[in-house]
Amino acid sequence: MATPSSPPPRTEKPPFWRDPAKRALLFQALMLAGLFAVIGFIVNNTLTNLDARGITTGFGFLDNTAGFGIVQSLIDYTPQSTYGRTFLVGLLNTLLVSALGIMLATVLGFLMGIARLSPNWLLSRLASAYVEIFRNIPLLLQIFFWYFAVLRSLPSPRQSMSIGEVAFLNVRGLVVPDPVGGPGFGWTLVALAVAVVASIVLVRFNRRRHEATGVRLPAGWISLGLIIGLPALVFVGSGMPLTWDVPKLTGFNFSGGITVLPELLALWLALSIYTGAFIAEIVRSGIQAVSHGQTEAARALSLSGGMTLRLVVIPQAMRVIIPPLTSQYLNLIKNSSLATAIGYPDLVSVFAGTTLNQTGQAIEVIMMTMAVYLTLSLLVSMFMNWFNARMALVER
């Protein structure tokens, strides 16, 4: 007959300084208190020094009149505008050159990355030379090269290089025709938006249909025809309400049209070519990461080289390409701050430069500028992470 065992002896709780969990909490609390104390000391010391020098703090200076002009503005701006509007002008100019740079660098990087693996000896060597040359030269030096050695050495407006007698390139930049929409042109833009939305719906429907039935429509060609054809039909049907303001040489400069500053051109080219060299290597490594058996299987199904690359290799390589590609996009956005070296009016130049010098509000101006780049980087990272998740393999 089993006898009930005696209860285990009660163990006394150790003091808290011998409990690892409680000891860790204590040290973390002390560390947090020390951190807040250091931050408080820095803030108090800064405010004391600013007060001693008679420098006011706060963001009230954003409502003051700037008093200086900006050579390029995507919104209405005059020297009588406020510093707050100066901030917006610089932000939009930064977004413009960053977006243009990302688009061109992506196209250039993918073309060169694929060309590096081409069986064509000359094409492969040219792509290799592009990568080795441009990724090993400092970006600032490349900006100076495009600005001072290329664009600043162009002829004067009277001796401009003509492109079909409608666009002109000279030392003051690239002058292109300005589209002027007439009454009813808005319907063409509406048709374009409808065509884009319809194309997205068609691509999604085609993907689901292909997964369910194995039947695939030429959705790419249909979408291309829809995006071009529908706005063209509406444009012709509405009487072609669009005219072009072609630039004309009057006196010592051109009148009419749109002038793209040489500073913008130089910065755009340098950022795109420099970042494109890194993207080319990312694309090459991504393609080589795909098993060669996938290519052999595609060839066994009689797929052409282009279809094998587009339908088999690139979709699988994108899962390897996207994470490092995100880092290159972030680098391009941050490198756009080098625009101040050639006078392009980006955020750093007009806000963290001219505005800071005029107002003396160093803390507020630098904090706002840092917050902009931090926000842009986080937004790009969030979008690319979402896109990476969409491209990830779905296991069943």
Side-chain angles (χ1 to χ4, degrees):
M1 182 176 179
T3 57
S5 58
S6 59
R10 297 182 59 182
T11 57
E12 296 182 357
K13 292 184 179 180
F16 74 90
W17 61 82
R18 291 183 179 176
D19 189 337
K22 293 180 179 177
R23 197 165 57 230
L25 284 175
L26 175 63
F27 284 135
Q28 291 182 37
L30 291 175
M31 177 65 73
L32 196 61
L35 179 64
F36 279 119
V38 171
I39 294 175
F41 172 75
I42 293 175
V43 171
N44 181 62
N45 187 50
T46 303
L47 293 177
T48 303
N49 290 334
L50 290 175
D51 185 61
R53 288 168 174 77
I55 300 176
T56 59
T57 57
F59 295 92
F61 73 96
L62 294 175
D63 296 328
N64 297 338
T65 302
F68 63 91
I70 299 177
V71 292
Q72 176 184 299
S73 173
L74 299 180
I75 58 176
D76 292 337
Y77 178 84
T78 64
Q80 285 69 41
S81 300
T82 62
Y83 288 119
R85 201 161 187 83
T86 303
F87 171 77
L88 290 178
V89 170
L91 174 60
L92 291 176
N93 287 342
T94 294
L95 292 177
L96 173 66
V97 73
S98 299
L100 292 175
I102 286 176
M103 287 190 288
L104 183 57
T106 303
V107 174
L108 201 56
F110 270 78
L111 291 178
M112 289 299 170
I114 295 173
R116 284 206 70 182
L117 301 175
S118 171
N120 187 304
W121 183 87
L122 180 60
L123 189 61
S124 174
R125 293 301 182 276
L126 287 176
S128 299
Y130 161 77
V131 171
E132 296 302 330
I133 290 174
F134 287 103
R135 78 170 180 171
N136 290 308
I137 297 177
L139 176 58
L140 184 59
L141 197 58
Q142 294 190 37
I143 293 175
F144 286 159
F145 168 76
W146 288 109
Y147 184 64
F148 292 109
V150 178
L151 296 176
R152 298 300 294 178
S153 62
L154 289 174
S156 64
R158 283 181 174 273
Q159 288 80 36
S160 297
M161 301 168 62
S162 173
I163 306 174
E165 296 298 329
V166 293
F168 303 90
L169 184 63
N170 55 59
V171 70
R172 296 182 182 176
L174 177 65
V175 190
V176 297
D178 182 15
V180 180
F185 183 71
W187 290 110
T188 302
L189 299 179
V190 172
L192 177 62
V194 171
V196 170
V197 173
S199 299
I200 295 173
V201 174
L202 175 63
V203 169
R204 295 173 65 90
F205 168 75
N206 186 45
R207 182 181 302 168
R208 293 178 182 175
R209 184 169 179 264
H210 180 250
E211 293 175 353
T213 65
V215 180
R216 188 184 185 92
L217 293 172
W221 291 107
I222 296 176
S223 300
L224 182 62
L226 194 62
I227 292 175
I228 296 176
L230 184 59
L233 287 175
V234 174
F235 178 69
V236 173
S238 58
M240 295 188 290
L242 180 67
T243 58
W244 293 90
D245 182 14
V246 179
K248 296 179 181 177
L249 183 63
T250 55
F252 295 99
N253 203 356
F254 284 90
S255 62
I258 300 175
T259 301
V260 183
L261 296 176
E263 291 83 4
L264 174 59
L265 286 175
L267 185 63
W268 181 29
L269 288 173
L271 287 174
S272 304
I273 293 174
Y274 178 76
T275 310
F278 289 91
I279 294 178
E281 282 298 272
I282 293 172
V283 172
R284 179 190 61 80
S285 61
I287 292 176
Q288 289 183 326
V290 178
S291 171
H292 189 62
Q294 298 288 324
T295 306
E296 293 178 341
R299 289 175 180 169
L301 294 174
S302 302
L303 294 180
S304 63
M307 292 181 68
T308 301
L309 188 67
R310 182 166 55 87
L311 300 177
V312 178
V313 177
I314 292 295
Q316 297 184 73
M318 287 300 291
R319 301 180 181 103
V320 181
I321 291 173
I322 291 174
L325 186 64
T326 305
S327 299
Q328 294 305 319
Y329 287 168
L330 299 182
N331 286 338
L332 188 147
I333 294 173
K334 290 179 285 189
N335 287 336
S336 68
S337 60
L338 292 174
T340 189
I342 56 174
Y344 175 71
D346 76 323
L347 182 66
V348 174
S349 177
V350 300
F351 192 67
T354 308
T355 300
L356 172 59
N357 290 332
Q358 290 191 357
T359 62
Q361 304 285 338
I363 295 177
E364 293 82 357
V365 170
I366 296 301
M367 282 180 59
M368 290 176 66
T369 307
M370 291 171 64
V372 165
Y373 284 100
L374 176 63
T375 304
L376 291 178
S377 298
L378 292 178
L379 290 176
V380 172
S381 297
M382 289 173 59
F383 173 77
M384 294 301 290
N385 288 335
W386 169 81
F387 185 57
N388 189 34
R390 295 275 300 178
M391 298 296 293
L393 283 173
V394 180
E395 298 182 357
R396 298 181 179 176

